[in-house]
Amino acid sequence: MTATTTTVATGTAPHRRGTTTPPRRWPLARHGLILAQRALVKTRRNPGELVDAVILPVVFLVLFVYLFGGAVAGSTHEYLQYLFPGILVLTTVLTGQVATGLSIVQDMKKGVFDRFRSMPVPRAAMLLGSVLADAVRYVIALAVLFGVGYALGFRVETGLLPALAACGLAIVLGFSLCWLTVLVAVLLRDEIMVSTVGFLLPFPLVFGTGMAAPVETMPGWLQAWAEVNPVSRAIEASQGLLLDGPVAGPATATLLWSAAFLAVFGTAAVVAYRRVV
């Protein structure tokens, strides 16, 4: 009688032996989002990692338009319309490569991941959090790119929803390719090597396409590479979504390539991380 009265007075439920707290669902996604927030806090404290990735695509856009616009398209405005969809894809491919790899290497060297191992956190969540933070960086970089593009005279010829779809498709491709840098970071654990790979990776992928000039004007060997280059399909889809052209085929190919990159590089990065850490 006394125990019952005390329970009612305090408002607490009686303790029952043998009961356990049910596990929360989706631990990988939940912990990945928490660690992504941590990565964004680090970016806020060190904005230089984001500024480089945001400014470089804008520099490419301005230089290409005013250096080659007259020669390639006859006018800077026409060339800007042609070039912008390719720079859109370049932005997402370039933005997350270096920052994510460097962040992972630094955390591994400082023992941050070792401390996480003592917690009930899936190991893959540590890598996933760093990559998910790139999605926010992609949005910021694309917003800046569209702002500069509109200031220079670029105009979307389709509509808001197709433009958002072009951004989403580019983000998906950048997210999947980012896992290659994660794999390099886990295997090499060296800032210089990660920076080199992350900076050089976009160039053969993006510039070996029809981004800056029609593929027909290129040498035969470069045309062959552009035909099999998965980024070519992403640029074609972006052109179709922004400027009204074929979309279904290039977009489907881009999604399939992105799924393949994520399956191969993502799995390899997680397996290598588990072996190293």
Side-chain angles (χ1 to χ4, degrees):
M1 183 67 180
T2 304
T4 304
T5 305
T6 304
T7 300
V8 174
T10 57
T12 59
H15 176 73
R16 295 180 180 178
R17 295 182 179 180
T19 60
T20 58
T21 303
R24 296 183 180 180
R25 296 181 178 181
W26 312 107
L28 178 59
R30 182 162 45 85
H31 290 292
L33 290 173
I34 294 173
L35 293 174
Q37 183 179 6
R38 170 184 174 271
L40 291 174
V41 171
K42 291 174 58 180
T43 302
R44 185 181 63 183
R45 294 176 179 176
N46 186 17
E49 298 178 357
L50 178 62
V51 170
D52 291 342
V54 171
I55 295 299
L56 193 56
V58 172
V59 171
F60 278 131
L61 178 67
V62 174
L63 286 179
F64 275 58
V65 166
Y66 291 106
L67 287 178
F68 307 119
V72 176
S75 71
T76 56
H77 176 72
E78 293 295 330
Y79 189 62
L80 176 62
Q81 292 292 111
Y82 174 84
L83 178 68
F84 188 88
I87 297 294
L88 176 72
V89 177
L90 169 67
T91 300
T92 58
V93 174
L94 184 65
T95 297
Q97 301 301 322
V98 176
T100 299
L102 288 178
S103 177
I104 291 174
V105 171
Q106 291 169 0
D107 284 344
M108 292 180 70
K109 287 189 173 181
K110 293 178 180 178
V112 175
F113 285 179
D114 292 333
R115 291 195 291 270
F116 283 140
R117 289 176 59 191
S118 62
M119 304 178 184
V121 178
R123 293 190 180 184
M126 304 173 193
L127 303 180
L128 181 62
S130 298
V131 180
L132 285 176
D134 285 334
V136 179
R137 299 186 186 107
Y138 295 153
V139 173
I140 296 174
L142 291 177
V144 173
L145 181 68
F146 267 97
V148 174
Y150 263 70
L152 295 178
F154 173 77
R155 295 295 181 268
V156 176
E157 298 178 2
T158 52
L160 177 60
L161 291 181
L164 293 177
C167 294
L169 197 64
I171 289 174
V172 169
L173 179 63
F175 178 86
S176 62
L177 282 174
C178 188
W179 284 96
L180 176 57
T181 309
V182 173
L183 176 60
V184 174
V186 171
L187 291 177
L188 300 181
R189 287 176 288 176
D190 182 81
E191 289 92 339
I192 297 178
M193 290 298 300
V194 171
S195 300
T196 301
V197 173
F199 183 77
L200 295 180
L201 173 64
F203 286 88
L205 289 175
V206 178
F207 290 99
T209 64
M211 182 194 74
V215 177
E216 296 77 15
T217 64
M218 301 177 183
W221 63 270
L222 192 53
Q223 291 186 31
W225 166 242
E227 290 298 325
V228 300
N229 188 349
V231 179
S232 295
R233 308 288 83 80
I235 293 177
E236 291 172 4
S238 180
Q239 290 172 339
L241 289 167
L242 295 176
L243 306 177
D244 194 12
V247 174
T252 301
T254 301
L255 292 175
L256 291 176
W257 274 110
S258 299
F261 289 145
L262 182 60
V264 174
F265 298 140
T267 302
V270 173
V271 171
Y273 175 73
R274 286 175 176 173
R275 290 181 178 178
V276 171
V277 179

